[in-house]
Amino acid sequence: MKVKEVLSALEQFAPLPLQESWDNAGLQVGLTEAEVSGALLCLDVTEKIIDEAIGKGCNLVVSHHPLLFRGLKTISDLTDMQRTVRKAIQHDVCIISMHTNIDNARGGVNYHIARKLGLTDVTFLNPKRVGDVECGSGVIGTLEVPMASCDFVIAVKKAFGVECAMTNELLRRKVSRVAICGGAGDFLLDEAVAASADAFITGEMHYHQYFGYEQKIQICVIGHYQSEQFTTEVFRDIINDQCPDVRTEIAETNTNPILYI
């Protein structure tokens, strides 16, 4: 099976027009006519990820975050990005990224987070249409059993294996309706309140946005990498379903640049 067939399967699930205007999803590096020897699935593309792909005999890397956001003026060894592009080309490793298009797709990143938390009746938090495709930013759903806010935060931490969560004042009511946006989702906080969510989970949020929401909504911020870490499972399921002959490997390299000490 060729790279272009895997690319087609991914883009059929999450068409490129679904991505935000500033994004650069899609093919990053390589030739799509190449036969796929294996696909390494990851969140970020770094030089160590390319090394892992080479070591596992994978000539395709599928990432969530694009390696290339802006054009490169030089391809040398001055930066990690340049070294990564250079090594990928040297070893004939193709790189594909599915970013905000798979964030915004039905069944994509935010839907997968909702499944991890056992939410039901999941719908888009901020729905929209791109042509004939229904998509949206964030999702909202319902816990099967309402929980005290402190128990809810603990459950989120356990589900995502995080060491800590940043929250505002704990709600003095139970959490039932939960809004989610993986990654940098703070722009949806007011939409979550307007949708009568009891809690809002995201990966990162600016300091000043915590003010003024006391007893309105339970903010729960778990880290950008942590919130999106299971995106690789979405990639795996798409490829296994549409391209069953392609071997998939979830990357073992942790690319989170933030340490908790």
Side-chain angles (χ1 to χ4, degrees):
M1 186 161 285
K2 295 183 178 182
V3 170
K4 66 180 182 181
E5 295 173 272
V6 177
L7 179 60
S8 176
L10 291 166
E11 291 186 1
Q12 185 175 1
F13 183 92
L16 291 184
L18 270 58
Q19 69 181 312
E20 302 298 330
S21 60
W22 47 264
D23 203 2
N24 187 41
L27 180 68
Q28 304 280 295
V29 174
L31 302 177
T32 60
E33 289 292 335
E35 294 285 337
V36 180
S37 61
L40 184 70
L41 316 177
C42 61
L43 200 64
D44 310 285
V45 186
T46 64
E47 192 174 6
K48 289 182 179 179
I49 285 288
I50 301 300
D51 288 335
E52 183 177 346
I54 295 166
K56 291 182 173 178
C58 297
N59 67 343
L60 174 61
V61 169
V62 180
S63 73
H64 184 40
H65 297 140
L67 173 63
L68 304 175
F69 271 106
R70 302 171 186 85
L72 282 174
K73 294 185 177 180
T74 303
I75 300 178
S76 182
D77 62 353
L78 297 178
T79 67
D80 183 69
M81 182 184 296
Q82 291 180 18
R83 289 189 296 272
T84 302
V85 171
R86 190 163 174 262
K87 182 170 284 188
I89 293 172
Q90 284 178 324
H91 293 271
D92 293 322
V93 175
C94 296
I95 301 172
I96 294 171
S97 299
M98 296 282 112
H99 192 209
T100 53
N101 54 320
I102 207 164
D103 286 333
N104 293 336
R106 179 173 295 280
V109 176
N110 294 308
Y111 274 84
H112 198 62
I113 295 172
R115 286 196 293 273
K116 289 288 183 182
L117 296 172
L119 299 188
T120 61
D121 303 320
V122 179
T123 59
F124 288 116
L125 176 59
N126 186 18
K128 56 187 176 182
R129 296 192 73 85
V130 175
D132 295 329
V133 180
E134 183 186 12
C135 57
S137 301
V139 297
I140 186 168
T142 304
L143 289 171
E144 291 186 359
V145 179
M147 305 173 68
S149 58
C150 57
D151 293 333
F152 170 75
V153 172
I154 291 170
V156 172
K157 288 176 59 180
K158 183 177 179 180
F160 287 85
V162 299
E163 302 169 27
C164 62
M166 292 180 286
T167 73
N168 59 342
E169 178 182 278
L170 291 176
L171 280 183
R172 293 191 289 273
R173 68 174 189 271
K174 288 192 174 182
V175 172
S176 179
R177 292 281 283 166
V178 180
I180 296 168
C181 185
D186 53 9
F187 66 99
L188 286 174
L189 179 58
D190 288 331
E191 280 82 352
V193 173
S196 300
D198 301 303
F200 178 60
I201 301 170
T202 190
E204 56 181 281
M205 182 173 291
H206 290 86
Y207 171 80
H208 292 287
Q209 289 184 284
Y210 287 84
F211 288 99
Y213 293 91
E214 297 81 5
Q215 299 310 313
K216 289 184 180 179
I217 193 167
Q218 185 66 68
I219 296 169
C220 185
V221 179
I222 61 174
H224 195 124
Y225 181 94
Q226 291 87 339
S227 70
E228 296 182 327
Q229 63 183 296
F230 299 118
T231 303
T232 52
E233 296 178 356
V234 180
F235 295 150
R236 180 197 61 199
D237 293 345
I238 296 168
I239 297 172
N240 287 352
D241 180 60
Q242 298 297 316
C243 308
D245 293 333
V246 173
R247 174 174 59 93
T248 56
E249 301 272 358
I250 291 179
E252 298 177 68
T253 302
N254 185 327
T255 59
N256 189 0
I258 301 172
L259 300 179
Y260 297 83
I261 298 176

